[in-house]
Short mmCIF file of all heavy atoms in Angstrom, two decimals:
data_model
loop_
_atom_site.label_atom_id
_atom_site.label_comp_id
_atom_site.label_asym_id
_atom_site.label_seq_id
_atom_site.Cartn_x
_atom_site.Cartn_y
_atom_site.Cartn_z
N GLU A 1 0.82 -1.20 0.00
CA GLU A 1 0.00 0.00 0.00
C GLU A 1 0.86 1.27 0.00
O GLU A 1 0.54 2.25 -0.67
CB GLU A 1 -0.93 0.01 1.22
CG GLU A 1 -1.96 -1.10 1.23
CD GLU A 1 -1.42 -2.39 1.83
OE1 GLU A 1 -0.20 -2.48 2.08
OE2 GLU A 1 -2.24 -3.28 2.07
N THR A 2 1.97 1.21 0.76
CA THR A 2 2.88 2.36 0.80
C THR A 2 3.59 2.52 -0.54
O THR A 2 3.76 3.64 -1.05
CB THR A 2 3.91 2.19 1.92
OG1 THR A 2 3.24 1.83 3.13
CG2 THR A 2 4.70 3.46 2.14
N THR A 3 4.00 1.39 -1.13
CA THR A 3 4.67 1.43 -2.42
C THR A 3 3.77 2.00 -3.51
O THR A 3 4.23 2.74 -4.38
CB THR A 3 5.14 0.02 -2.80
OG1 THR A 3 6.00 -0.50 -1.78
CG2 THR A 3 5.90 0.03 -4.12
N GLU A 4 2.48 1.66 -3.44
CA GLU A 4 1.53 2.21 -4.42
C GLU A 4 1.47 3.73 -4.32
O GLU A 4 1.39 4.43 -5.34
CB GLU A 4 0.14 1.61 -4.19
CG GLU A 4 0.02 0.16 -4.63
CD GLU A 4 -1.37 -0.39 -4.38
OE1 GLU A 4 -2.26 0.41 -3.97
OE2 GLU A 4 -1.58 -1.59 -4.57
N LEU A 5 1.49 4.26 -3.08
CA LEU A 5 1.50 5.70 -2.91
C LEU A 5 2.78 6.30 -3.48
O LEU A 5 2.76 7.37 -4.11
CB LEU A 5 1.35 6.05 -1.43
CG LEU A 5 -0.04 5.87 -0.83
CD1 LEU A 5 0.02 5.99 0.69
CD2 LEU A 5 -1.01 6.89 -1.40
N GLY A 6 3.91 5.63 -3.24
CA GLY A 6 5.16 6.10 -3.81
C GLY A 6 5.12 6.13 -5.33
O GLY A 6 5.63 7.05 -5.97
N ASP A 7 4.49 5.09 -5.92
CA ASP A 7 4.34 5.06 -7.38
C ASP A 7 3.46 6.21 -7.87
O ASP A 7 3.70 6.79 -8.93
CB ASP A 7 3.74 3.72 -7.81
CG ASP A 7 4.69 2.55 -7.58
OD1 ASP A 7 5.90 2.79 -7.42
OD2 ASP A 7 4.20 1.39 -7.55
N ALA A 8 2.42 6.54 -7.09
CA ALA A 8 1.54 7.65 -7.46
C ALA A 8 2.29 8.97 -7.44
O ALA A 8 2.10 9.83 -8.31
CB ALA A 8 0.33 7.70 -6.52
N VAL A 9 3.14 9.15 -6.43
CA VAL A 9 3.96 10.37 -6.36
C VAL A 9 4.88 10.45 -7.58
O VAL A 9 4.99 11.50 -8.22
CB VAL A 9 4.79 10.39 -5.06
CG1 VAL A 9 5.74 11.59 -5.07
CG2 VAL A 9 3.88 10.45 -3.84
N ALA A 10 5.51 9.32 -7.91
CA ALA A 10 6.42 9.29 -9.06
C ALA A 10 5.67 9.60 -10.35
O ALA A 10 6.17 10.31 -11.22
CB ALA A 10 7.10 7.93 -9.14
N ALA A 11 4.44 9.05 -10.48
CA ALA A 11 3.66 9.31 -11.69
C ALA A 11 3.30 10.79 -11.81
O ALA A 11 3.34 11.37 -12.89
CB ALA A 11 2.39 8.45 -11.67
N ALA A 12 2.95 11.40 -10.68
CA ALA A 12 2.61 12.82 -10.70
C ALA A 12 3.83 13.66 -11.06
O ALA A 12 3.74 14.62 -11.84
CB ALA A 12 2.06 13.24 -9.34
N GLU A 13 4.97 13.31 -10.48
CA GLU A 13 6.20 14.04 -10.81
C GLU A 13 6.54 13.90 -12.29
O GLU A 13 6.96 14.86 -12.95
CB GLU A 13 7.36 13.51 -9.95
CG GLU A 13 7.20 13.82 -8.47
CD GLU A 13 8.21 13.08 -7.60
OE1 GLU A 13 8.68 11.99 -8.03
OE2 GLU A 13 8.51 13.55 -6.50
N ARG A 14 6.34 12.70 -12.82
CA ARG A 14 6.63 12.47 -14.23
C ARG A 14 5.67 13.26 -15.12
O ARG A 14 6.07 13.82 -16.14
CB ARG A 14 6.51 10.97 -14.52
CG ARG A 14 6.96 10.57 -15.92
CD ARG A 14 7.15 9.06 -16.04
NE ARG A 14 5.94 8.31 -15.67
CZ ARG A 14 5.81 7.62 -14.53
NH1 ARG A 14 6.80 7.58 -13.66
NH2 ARG A 14 4.70 6.96 -14.26
N ALA A 15 4.42 13.33 -14.70
CA ALA A 15 3.43 14.08 -15.48
C ALA A 15 3.79 15.55 -15.57
O ALA A 15 3.64 16.18 -16.63
CB ALA A 15 2.05 13.92 -14.86
N ILE A 16 4.27 16.10 -14.46
CA ILE A 16 4.66 17.51 -14.47
C ILE A 16 5.88 17.73 -15.36
O ILE A 16 5.94 18.68 -16.14
CB ILE A 16 4.94 17.99 -13.03
CG1 ILE A 16 3.63 18.03 -12.24
CG2 ILE A 16 5.61 19.35 -13.03
CD1 ILE A 16 3.81 18.37 -10.79
N ARG A 17 6.85 16.81 -15.24
CA ARG A 17 8.05 16.95 -16.07
C ARG A 17 7.72 16.89 -17.55
O ARG A 17 8.28 17.60 -18.37
CB ARG A 17 9.06 15.86 -15.71
CG ARG A 17 9.77 16.06 -14.39
CD ARG A 17 11.00 15.16 -14.30
NE ARG A 17 10.65 13.75 -14.46
CZ ARG A 17 10.34 12.94 -13.43
NH1 ARG A 17 10.31 13.42 -12.20
NH2 ARG A 17 10.06 11.68 -13.65
N GLU A 18 6.79 16.02 -17.91
CA GLU A 18 6.49 15.80 -19.32
C GLU A 18 5.35 16.69 -19.81
O GLU A 18 4.96 16.63 -20.98
CB GLU A 18 6.12 14.33 -19.53
CG GLU A 18 7.27 13.37 -19.20
CD GLU A 18 6.83 11.92 -19.25
OE1 GLU A 18 5.64 11.66 -19.49
OE2 GLU A 18 7.69 11.03 -19.05
N HIS A 19 4.78 17.52 -18.89
CA HIS A 19 3.68 18.41 -19.26
C HIS A 19 2.51 17.64 -19.87
O HIS A 19 1.93 18.05 -20.88
CB HIS A 19 4.13 19.49 -20.24
CG HIS A 19 5.26 20.32 -19.72
ND1 HIS A 19 5.24 20.92 -18.48
CD2 HIS A 19 6.48 20.63 -20.26
CE1 HIS A 19 6.37 21.58 -18.28
NE2 HIS A 19 7.14 21.41 -19.33
N THR A 20 2.18 16.51 -19.26
CA THR A 20 1.07 15.72 -19.77
C THR A 20 -0.07 15.74 -18.77
O THR A 20 0.13 15.98 -17.59
CB THR A 20 1.49 14.26 -20.01
OG1 THR A 20 1.96 13.71 -18.77
CG2 THR A 20 2.56 14.17 -21.06
N THR A 21 -1.28 15.43 -19.26
CA THR A 21 -2.43 15.36 -18.37
C THR A 21 -2.29 14.14 -17.48
O THR A 21 -1.93 13.06 -17.92
CB THR A 21 -3.72 15.25 -19.20
OG1 THR A 21 -3.79 16.39 -20.04
CG2 THR A 21 -4.93 15.21 -18.28
N PHE A 22 -2.61 14.30 -16.22
CA PHE A 22 -2.41 13.25 -15.22
C PHE A 22 -3.76 12.75 -14.75
O PHE A 22 -4.57 13.52 -14.28
CB PHE A 22 -1.60 13.83 -14.05
CG PHE A 22 -1.34 12.85 -12.95
CD1 PHE A 22 -0.53 11.77 -13.17
CD2 PHE A 22 -1.91 13.03 -11.71
CE1 PHE A 22 -0.29 10.88 -12.15
CE2 PHE A 22 -1.67 12.15 -10.69
CZ PHE A 22 -0.85 11.06 -10.90
N GLN A 23 -4.05 11.46 -14.90
CA GLN A 23 -5.36 10.95 -14.60
C GLN A 23 -5.37 9.84 -13.56
O GLN A 23 -6.43 9.47 -13.08
CB GLN A 23 -6.00 10.37 -15.89
CG GLN A 23 -6.17 11.40 -17.00
CD GLN A 23 -7.22 12.43 -16.70
OE1 GLN A 23 -8.00 12.27 -15.77
NE2 GLN A 23 -7.24 13.51 -17.46
N THR A 24 -4.24 9.29 -13.17
CA THR A 24 -4.27 8.06 -12.37
C THR A 24 -4.56 8.29 -10.91
O THR A 24 -5.12 7.43 -10.26
CB THR A 24 -2.93 7.31 -12.50
OG1 THR A 24 -1.88 8.19 -12.08
CG2 THR A 24 -2.68 6.89 -13.93
N VAL A 25 -4.18 9.41 -10.34
CA VAL A 25 -4.41 9.66 -8.91
C VAL A 25 -5.63 10.53 -8.71
O VAL A 25 -6.43 10.32 -7.82
CB VAL A 25 -3.18 10.34 -8.28
CG1 VAL A 25 -3.47 10.73 -6.84
CG2 VAL A 25 -2.00 9.37 -8.31
N ALA A 26 -5.83 11.53 -9.54
CA ALA A 26 -6.97 12.43 -9.40
C ALA A 26 -7.31 12.97 -10.78
O ALA A 26 -6.50 12.93 -11.70
CB ALA A 26 -6.64 13.58 -8.44
N SER A 27 -8.54 13.47 -10.93
CA SER A 27 -8.95 13.98 -12.23
C SER A 27 -8.25 15.29 -12.57
O SER A 27 -8.13 15.64 -13.73
CB SER A 27 -10.47 14.19 -12.24
OG SER A 27 -10.84 15.10 -11.22
N THR A 28 -7.79 16.01 -11.56
CA THR A 28 -7.10 17.27 -11.79
C THR A 28 -5.59 17.05 -11.73
O THR A 28 -5.10 16.46 -10.77
CB THR A 28 -7.48 18.32 -10.73
OG1 THR A 28 -8.90 18.50 -10.77
CG2 THR A 28 -6.80 19.64 -11.01
N PRO A 29 -4.84 17.52 -12.72
CA PRO A 29 -3.38 17.33 -12.67
C PRO A 29 -2.78 17.99 -11.43
O PRO A 29 -3.19 19.09 -11.05
CB PRO A 29 -2.90 18.04 -13.95
CG PRO A 29 -4.10 18.09 -14.83
CD PRO A 29 -5.28 18.20 -13.92
N PRO A 30 -1.81 17.34 -10.79
CA PRO A 30 -1.16 17.95 -9.63
C PRO A 30 -0.57 19.32 -9.93
O PRO A 30 -0.52 20.17 -9.06
CB PRO A 30 -0.06 16.93 -9.28
CG PRO A 30 -0.59 15.63 -9.77
CD PRO A 30 -1.35 15.96 -11.02
N ALA A 31 -0.16 19.54 -11.18
CA ALA A 31 0.39 20.85 -11.55
C ALA A 31 -0.64 21.95 -11.39
O ALA A 31 -0.31 23.10 -11.12
CB ALA A 31 0.91 20.82 -12.98
N LEU A 32 -1.93 21.61 -11.58
CA LEU A 32 -2.99 22.60 -11.37
C LEU A 32 -3.35 22.72 -9.89
O LEU A 32 -3.77 23.78 -9.43
CB LEU A 32 -4.24 22.23 -12.17
CG LEU A 32 -4.25 22.60 -13.65
CD1 LEU A 32 -5.55 22.14 -14.29
CD2 LEU A 32 -4.07 24.09 -13.83
N LEU A 33 -3.20 21.62 -9.15
CA LEU A 33 -3.48 21.68 -7.72
C LEU A 33 -2.47 22.55 -7.01
O LEU A 33 -2.81 23.32 -6.10
CB LEU A 33 -3.46 20.27 -7.12
CG LEU A 33 -4.58 19.33 -7.58
CD1 LEU A 33 -4.33 17.94 -7.05
CD2 LEU A 33 -5.93 19.85 -7.11
N ARG A 34 -1.22 22.41 -7.39
CA ARG A 34 -0.15 23.21 -6.79
C ARG A 34 0.92 23.44 -7.84
O ARG A 34 1.79 22.58 -8.04
CB ARG A 34 0.45 22.50 -5.57
CG ARG A 34 1.52 23.31 -4.85
CD ARG A 34 2.06 22.56 -3.63
NE ARG A 34 3.16 23.25 -3.01
CZ ARG A 34 3.06 24.21 -2.11
NH1 ARG A 34 1.88 24.61 -1.74
NH2 ARG A 34 4.12 24.78 -1.58
N PRO A 35 0.88 24.56 -8.55
CA PRO A 35 1.87 24.80 -9.59
C PRO A 35 3.29 24.66 -9.06
O PRO A 35 3.60 25.14 -7.97
CB PRO A 35 1.58 26.25 -10.01
CG PRO A 35 0.14 26.45 -9.67
CD PRO A 35 -0.08 25.65 -8.42
N PRO A 36 4.15 23.98 -9.83
CA PRO A 36 5.51 23.73 -9.35
C PRO A 36 6.38 24.98 -9.29
O PRO A 36 7.42 24.97 -8.65
CB PRO A 36 6.06 22.73 -10.37
CG PRO A 36 5.26 22.98 -11.61
CD PRO A 36 3.89 23.37 -11.15
N VAL A 37 5.96 26.04 -9.96
CA VAL A 37 6.77 27.26 -10.01
C VAL A 37 5.95 28.42 -9.45
O VAL A 37 4.79 28.59 -9.78
CB VAL A 37 7.22 27.58 -11.45
CG1 VAL A 37 7.99 28.88 -11.50
CG2 VAL A 37 8.07 26.44 -12.00
N LEU A 38 6.57 29.21 -8.58
CA LEU A 38 5.93 30.41 -8.05
C LEU A 38 6.28 31.57 -8.98
O LEU A 38 7.42 32.03 -9.01
CB LEU A 38 6.43 30.68 -6.63
CG LEU A 38 5.62 31.63 -5.76
CD1 LEU A 38 4.25 31.04 -5.48
CD2 LEU A 38 6.34 31.87 -4.44
N VAL A 39 5.30 32.04 -9.74
CA VAL A 39 5.60 33.03 -10.78
C VAL A 39 5.21 34.43 -10.30
O VAL A 39 4.35 34.61 -9.45
CB VAL A 39 4.85 32.70 -12.09
CG1 VAL A 39 5.26 31.37 -12.63
CG2 VAL A 39 3.33 32.74 -11.86
N GLY A 40 5.87 35.42 -10.89
CA GLY A 40 5.51 36.81 -10.64
C GLY A 40 5.83 37.30 -9.24
O GLY A 40 5.35 38.37 -8.85
N ARG A 41 6.63 36.59 -8.48
CA ARG A 41 6.90 36.97 -7.10
C ARG A 41 8.40 37.08 -6.80
O ARG A 41 8.80 37.06 -5.64
CB ARG A 41 6.28 35.95 -6.14
CG ARG A 41 4.78 35.74 -6.29
CD ARG A 41 4.02 37.03 -6.11
NE ARG A 41 2.58 36.87 -6.03
CZ ARG A 41 1.71 37.79 -6.39
NH1 ARG A 41 2.13 38.95 -6.87
NH2 ARG A 41 0.40 37.57 -6.27
N THR A 42 9.21 37.22 -7.83
CA THR A 42 10.66 37.29 -7.62
C THR A 42 11.05 38.47 -6.75
O THR A 42 11.84 38.34 -5.80
CB THR A 42 11.38 37.39 -8.98
OG1 THR A 42 11.00 36.29 -9.80
CG2 THR A 42 12.89 37.38 -8.78
#
């Protein structure tokens, strides 16, 4: 069960890297849930 969660984290990270839609953990891509980059705040 813990390994499955680790795989889900890896899949989400891969989805963000590849800029692809992510469907396996949630209907909303993790990049939309929490954008990986904080923009406009330098």
Side-chain angles (χ1 to χ4, degrees):
E1 296 85 350
T2 311
T3 302
E4 287 180 6
L5 286 169
D7 292 342
V9 174
E13 293 169 334
R14 187 166 57 253
I16 291 176
R17 286 196 302 270
E18 297 173 357
H19 303 309
T20 58
T21 302
F22 179 66
Q23 299 290 347
T24 58
V25 174
S27 59
T28 303
L32 279 179
L33 293 173
R34 183 179 175 85
V37 177
L38 197 64
V39 299
R41 302 303 189 207
T42 304

